[in-house]
Amino acid sequence: MTDLSRQRVIVTGGAGFIGCALAERLAAKAEKWVVVDSLHPQVHQVQERPAALVEAAELIVGDVTDPAVWETVLAEIEPTVVIHLAAETGTAQSLNEATRHAHVNVVGTTVMLDALSARGIVPERFLLSSSRAVYGEGAWEKSSGEVYYPGQRSHAQFEAGQWDFPDAKPLASRAAVTVPAPTSVYGSTKLAQEHVLSAWVNARDTTLTTLRLQNVYGPGQSLSNPYTGIVSLFSQLAQRGESIPIYEDGLITRDFVYIDDVADAFVAALALPAEEASIVGDVGSGVGTTIMQLAEAIAAYHQAPAPHITGKYRDGDVRHAECTIDDTLRMLDWEPRWPVDRGVAGLQSWIAEQTAR
């Protein structure tokens, strides 16, 4: 798909963090770019069009789970491309608000597909924003060389301070190899999204590109959402001169990927010709960073007190989450350009601007 000027695009959840970054790059190039977003107050403090959403993007405020919203949307546009970003994303929150996450992430997807089916619309391309949460703890390798899937850590392990699985090391996730085994309701609903969309698309001979995102951060991320991500949270604590609290022993590992790199991956995915577009790819920096390393870098930037270990833990949290991006580098004309130190510095500057305002 090289000529976006002939494409009519619907972006669900497109007024959010990733949606605004993507619209900035592509909305003006498309024949039509329509954003469907509920402007949920957990993400949008003010229920009005975000300043970061470029004028070329038309905004329809509505919930993807509401069939009436889709009646309005599909009367406005017959999409050739659907970019599905709409989702409830709080990993820990999902354990206590399972219905909400399942309703938006799964039912929202099926309501959208039913609306397309009712009108006989088969878009040429679907692009799904999935998550590293589908892997759960992923695969680990024992000292004997055996690869196994340990599953979710138990309360007994947590209470004993046994943060890692014994006699084993974690393996970086890779879509072509790692078996999805989510340990949160959120991860389960994202995997369900993948399955539902795949079934619908395969039955209609169209294409689905799935990008499993690691921990996305950067300018534009909601600073009011308590589930928005630890990079923004840590940054705000350090900016106020507070010591950053660290769960477990500080050696939890994540792959932090900057928003610009994520948006560029979506652009590259949309550029794929149809015959190469049915892929599942991991989008991250390809480098694991411990939570302590991240916190120390942010604290040093603000000259804040050193981070402190609390020994606390979160149910459903995985110990190590990072990915191998070699396959994605081969499939897409893309590579990450923002190492964590540069990305963290860029975020601090943006947060300072927002605070000043």
Side-chain angles (χ1 to χ4, degrees), residues 283-304:
V283 176
S285 69
V287 177
T289 301
T290 68
I291 300 303
M292 180 57 82
Q293 289 172 328
L294 173 73
E296 287 174 341
I298 293 173
Y301 183 95
H302 291 283
Q303 297 182 321

Side-chain angles (χ1 to χ4, degrees), residues 81-212:
V81 179
V82 174
I83 302 173
H84 195 31
L85 306 178
E88 294 289 350
T89 60
T91 303
Q93 184 182 26
S94 72
L95 290 170
N96 299 316
E97 298 184 33
T99 300
R100 173 181 160 193
H101 281 71
H103 189 60
V104 174
N105 299 358
V106 182
V107 176
T109 301
T110 58
V111 168
M112 173 184 70
L113 295 176
D114 285 350
L116 291 169
S117 296
R119 286 181 173 258
I121 298 173
V122 180
E124 298 171 10
R125 175 78 57 85
F126 283 85
L127 176 51
L128 172 64
S129 173
S130 189
S131 171
R132 57 92 180 162
V134 303
Y135 296 119
E137 282 290 353
W140 287 57
E141 184 179 15
K142 296 182 179 180
S143 59
S144 63
E146 177 191 351
V147 174
Y148 81 117
Y149 289 79
Q152 194 163 346
R153 292 179 293 171
S154 67
H155 281 152
Q157 284 179 275
F158 285 142
E159 294 298 332
Q162 296 174 349
W163 309 120
D164 286 300
F165 295 98
D167 190 38
K169 63 179 181 180
L171 300 178
S173 298
R174 179 183 168 200
V177 174
T178 309
V179 178
T183 58
S184 68
V185 172
Y186 166 64
S188 301
T189 63
K190 293 303 290 184
L191 186 58
Q193 274 188 336
E194 292 188 19
H195 290 164
V196 168
L197 276 168
S198 179
W200 195 93
V201 162
N202 289 337
R204 286 161 175 79
D205 297 323
T206 184
T207 59
L208 169 64
T209 303
T210 300
L211 299 181
R212 292 175 176 167

Side-chain angles (χ1 to χ4, degrees), residues 254-278:
R254 295 292 183 267
D255 183 332
F256 297 101
V257 57
Y258 198 67
I259 181 59
D260 287 10
D261 287 334
V262 171
D264 288 346
F266 276 81
V267 172
L270 289 171
L272 289 172
E275 62 271 17
E276 299 176 15
S278 296

Side-chain angles (χ1 to χ4, degrees), residues 230 233-247 291-292 294-300 302-310 312:
I230 61 170
L233 173 62
F234 285 4
S235 299
Q236 293 176 85
L237 291 171
Q239 186 185 51
R240 296 197 297 264
E242 299 178 26
S243 172
I244 299 170
I246 305 296
Y247 279 22
I291 300 303
M292 180 57 82
L294 173 73
E296 287 174 341
I298 293 173
H302 291 283
Q303 297 182 321
H308 63 280
I309 300 290
T310 67
K312 294 180 180 178

